[in-house]
Amino acid sequence: MMYDPTGHLLLTPVDKEAPARVRRLRGLGIGQRPEPAFDAFAERLAELTGAPYSMVNFIDVERQFFAGLHTPEGACFGAEPSADAGAPAAGGGEACRYMARDHGYCPHVVVRRKALVLEDVCEYPRFAGNPVVDEIGIRSYLGAPLIDRTGIVLGTVCVVDVEPRRWGRAGLDTIKSMAAELVEQIHRREDGGI
C-alpha cells in the first residue's frame, strides 16, 4: 500500500486476493513469461482502440508482468523493478514487460473488479499522482479485469496513451468484450483446447 505524502491519498489499493491469484496463475502456467498469443492479442487490442500501447497484464504480490505487450516501434513501457536488472531494454525486451505494483492503474482495476476509464488522468487527483504520469507520460487509460471461472481476477487487459483520449462508451464496450474474449481463450487452454 502506498500513500501520497502530500495529500494522504491511497495510491495503490490493498490487494487481499494476490496470494490466491499467484497460485491460480502458476496453476494455469501464465504470467511469468511473454507469450506470442498474448502479444498478438495486445496488438489486436491496440488496433481496435487506436491506442499506441496495450497490454495483457498479470499482477502478483509485488509487480506487474505484461505477458502480452504492444508498443510503438522501439518503445519500452515498463522496467524491471529489481535493482540488479540494470537499465530497461528498448524495443519491448523482457525488462520492458515488468512494472512495480504501485505504478499504473491496473492494480485498481484488479481490486475494483470492474473496468476503469480515465480519459485524462490529470482530471483525477487520486490517479494524477501515479508515477506513470511523470516517468512514462501516461495521460489516459482504459482497462478491464480478467475474471476467471474461479472468481479470481487474474489481471487486466488495458490500453494507454500519452495524450488525453475520449474513449467513450464504444471504448468501454470494446475493452470489456476483449477481456471476456481473453478469459475464454485462457479457459480453452486450461481445458486442453487451442
Side-chain angles (χ1 to χ4, degrees), residues 114-177:
K114 62 182 183 176
L116 177 62
V117 179
L118 300 171
E119 294 182 334
D120 184 347
V121 299
C122 294
E123 293 178 359
Y124 303 90
R126 178 178 186 180
F127 298 115
N130 194 284
V132 297
V133 175
D134 292 331
E135 293 175 16
I136 302 173
I138 299 305
R139 286 294 302 275
S140 59
Y141 172 91
L142 177 64
L146 299 169
I147 303 173
D148 97 330
R149 64 177 125 211
T150 67
I152 292 174
V153 180
L154 302 174
T156 67
V157 293
C158 68
V159 294
V160 297
D161 202 335
V162 295
E163 300 292 332
R165 290 281 301 266
R166 298 297 168 213
W167 302 110
R169 184 69 192 179
L172 179 60
D173 290 344
T174 297
I175 201 75
K176 289 167 70 175
S177 68

Side-chain angles (χ1 to χ4, degrees), residues 2-186:
M2 182 177 157
Y3 288 93
D4 171 11
T6 58
H8 304 291
L9 296 173
L10 178 64
L11 297 178
T12 306
V14 175
D15 184 2
K16 295 178 182 175
E17 194 175 75
R21 176 181 317 105
V22 170
R23 286 189 299 276
R24 179 69 174 140
L25 289 170
R26 298 307 175 261
L28 291 167
I30 59 176
Q32 293 185 291
R33 65 185 177 283
E35 296 200 22
F38 292 153
D39 283 342
F41 187 91
E43 184 172 347
R44 192 167 130 241
L45 182 58
E47 289 171 7
L48 286 172
T49 60
Y53 298 91
S54 63
M55 285 76 68
V56 174
N57 187 8
F58 298 110
I59 302 173
D60 67 21
V61 177
E62 296 180 7
R63 66 183 184 182
Q64 305 174 63
F65 179 72
F66 308 127
L69 178 63
H70 172 81
T71 66
E73 190 66 35
C76 183
F77 187 76
E80 174 64 56
S82 66
D84 60 354
E94 184 90 18
C96 290
R97 292 181 181 265
Y98 291 94
M99 185 175 285
R101 194 180 166 285
D102 65 349
H103 284 51
Y105 310 107
C106 289
H108 295 272
V109 171
V110 166
V111 171
R112 291 165 36 112
R113 303 179 67 85
K114 62 182 183 176
L116 177 62
V117 179
L118 300 171
E119 294 182 334
D120 184 347
V121 299
C122 294
E123 293 178 359
Y124 303 90
R126 178 178 186 180
F127 298 115
N130 194 284
V132 297
V133 175
D134 292 331
E135 293 175 16
I136 302 173
I138 299 305
R139 286 294 302 275
S140 59
Y141 172 91
L142 177 64
L146 299 169
I147 303 173
D148 97 330
R149 64 177 125 211
T150 67
I152 292 174
V153 180
L154 302 174
T156 67
V157 293
C158 68
V159 294
V160 297
D161 202 335
V162 295
E163 300 292 332
R165 290 281 301 266
R166 298 297 168 213
W167 302 110
R169 184 69 192 179
L172 179 60
D173 290 344
T174 297
I175 201 75
K176 289 167 70 175
S177 68
M178 292 296 285
E181 180 182 316
L182 186 59
V183 168
E184 286 304 313
Q185 287 179 22
I186 291 169

